[in-house]
Amino acid sequence: MAANFWTSTHYQQLMHPEDVDVVQQLDRDRGITLDDFKLVKMHISNYITKMAQLVKVRQRVVATAITYMRRVYTRKSLTEFDPRLVALTSLYLAAKAEENPEDIRYRFDIKDILEMEMKILEALNYYLVVFHPYRSLTQFLQDAGMMDLMQFTWGIVNDTYKMDLILIHPPHLIALACIYIASVSKDKDSVAWFEELRVDMNVVKNISMEILDFYDSMKNNIEERVNVIFGKLPSRS
């Protein structure tokens, strides 16, 4: 893995939000809307997390797998790339990339996973480097003397992978946004500490609002909607 985010392919591939949320023509032809697209990606993020719990891989592997999946769907359609097979293959690929290989097969034949692995690698242009907010989160909380917020903020960071933030923002800004939410929620006076960082607080607050808006939107049960959306996609044997 590259040691410096700013010289990495991850940084080079950061995207504008409008370029991330694009429904491919094949999906539009099947009636998939932008809201449908976002819900499927969130559902598949949750699916990856559940599958990862069965093989007990590290959270970093889960986060990398979700990032791969989200990168793939900026270029490929749900119609072409079976979301659940993409989920398992992304987890399989992430486990290898993060040097945590596991036997991840489940409902799919290993041949299907290996074939999809090649398709995913091509869709990613073989760029597998992913930086995550977790390291920055720990360093920032230590520096701020707020290690008591670790569990709370860690959970918020995990939730950001149900969104496309990792494709859009540098990981350290995502970490700061999670700390900002946690400090406000827990009545921690962090104003002076944030000022010393000399980061653009408008960006940090905007990311924070995106996360809070996501939480608000998830108050409704989405499973029925997800089932309807999958009904629009090709049936898989």
Side-chain angles (χ1 to χ4, degrees), residues 14-24 37 73-75:
L14 288 181
M15 303 175 71
H16 190 278
E18 292 182 359
D19 295 327
V20 170
D21 284 326
V22 176
V23 181
Q24 302 294 327
F37 184 47
Y73 286 123
T74 64
R75 302 180 175 108

Side-chain angles (χ1 to χ4, degrees), residues 176-188:
L176 287 173
C178 295
I179 293 172
Y180 182 76
I181 291 171
S183 63
V184 171
S185 299
K186 301 298 184 181
D187 293 322
K188 295 278 189 178

Side-chain angles (χ1 to χ4, degrees), residues 38-100:
K38 290 179 178 180
L39 278 178
V40 169
K41 288 190 291 183
M42 189 192 72
H43 172 79
I44 295 304
S45 297
N46 291 337
Y47 184 70
I48 289 173
T49 301
K50 290 177 182 177
M51 292 301 100
Q53 290 171 349
L54 296 177
V55 291
K56 297 180 173 58
V57 296
R58 293 175 297 136
Q59 180 59 36
R60 182 183 177 88
V61 175
V62 178
T64 297
I66 292 173
T67 304
Y68 289 167
M69 178 273 293
R70 289 183 175 276
R71 284 180 178 174
V72 165
Y73 286 123
T74 64
R75 302 180 175 108
K76 301 296 180 180
S77 69
L78 301 170
T79 300
E80 294 174 286
F81 281 46
D82 178 353
R84 291 194 175 96
L85 181 53
V86 167
L88 292 179
T89 308
S90 295
L91 188 57
Y92 175 78
L93 184 57
K96 292 201 296 183
E98 297 292 348
E99 299 180 353
N100 195 155

Side-chain angles (χ1 to χ4, degrees), residues 1-200:
M1 290 293 177
N4 188 332
F5 171 75
W6 302 107
T7 60
S8 71
T9 53
H10 185 160
Y11 172 66
Q12 294 166 12
Q13 292 186 86
L14 288 181
M15 303 175 71
H16 190 278
E18 292 182 359
D19 295 327
V20 170
D21 284 326
V22 176
V23 181
Q24 302 294 327
Q25 184 62 52
L26 284 175
D27 292 339
R28 292 202 301 271
D29 292 344
R30 288 181 170 271
I32 302 294
T33 66
L34 180 56
D35 283 343
D36 291 342
F37 184 47
K38 290 179 178 180
L39 278 178
V40 169
K41 288 190 291 183
M42 189 192 72
H43 172 79
I44 295 304
S45 297
N46 291 337
Y47 184 70
I48 289 173
T49 301
K50 290 177 182 177
M51 292 301 100
Q53 290 171 349
L54 296 177
V55 291
K56 297 180 173 58
V57 296
R58 293 175 297 136
Q59 180 59 36
R60 182 183 177 88
V61 175
V62 178
T64 297
I66 292 173
T67 304
Y68 289 167
M69 178 273 293
R70 289 183 175 276
R71 284 180 178 174
V72 165
Y73 286 123
T74 64
R75 302 180 175 108
K76 301 296 180 180
S77 69
L78 301 170
T79 300
E80 294 174 286
F81 281 46
D82 178 353
R84 291 194 175 96
L85 181 53
V86 167
L88 292 179
T89 308
S90 295
L91 188 57
Y92 175 78
L93 184 57
K96 292 201 296 183
E98 297 292 348
E99 299 180 353
N100 195 155
E102 296 290 346
D103 184 14
I104 300 167
R105 304 184 189 188
Y106 307 116
R107 292 169 41 210
F108 294 92
D109 189 283
I110 189 62
K111 177 175 176 290
D112 295 329
I113 291 179
L114 293 177
E115 288 179 355
M116 181 57 75
E117 180 184 20
M118 291 308 301
K119 292 179 180 179
I120 288 176
L121 285 169
E122 289 175 4
L124 298 175
N125 292 326
Y126 296 88
Y127 293 140
L128 301 180
V129 172
V130 181
F131 283 77
H132 298 290
Y134 299 106
R135 179 179 295 180
S136 296
L137 180 72
T138 302
Q139 293 171 342
F140 284 140
L141 287 174
Q142 288 175 339
D143 183 65
M146 294 190 290
M147 287 298 288
D148 56 317
L149 294 182
M150 173 61 81
Q151 184 174 356
F152 187 44
T153 51
W154 193 278
I156 299 173
V157 170
N158 288 346
D159 287 341
T160 66
Y161 287 89
K162 299 175 183 178
M163 310 164 63
D164 286 313
L165 295 178
I166 195 66
L167 305 186
I168 300 167
H169 301 287
H172 76 285
L173 292 181
I174 297 173
L176 287 173
C178 295
I179 293 172
Y180 182 76
I181 291 171
S183 63
V184 171
S185 299
K186 301 298 184 181
D187 293 322
K188 295 278 189 178
D189 185 3
S190 59
V191 175
W193 180 75
F194 273 106
E195 287 178 349
E196 290 176 1
L197 292 178
R198 296 185 180 180
V199 296
D200 189 338

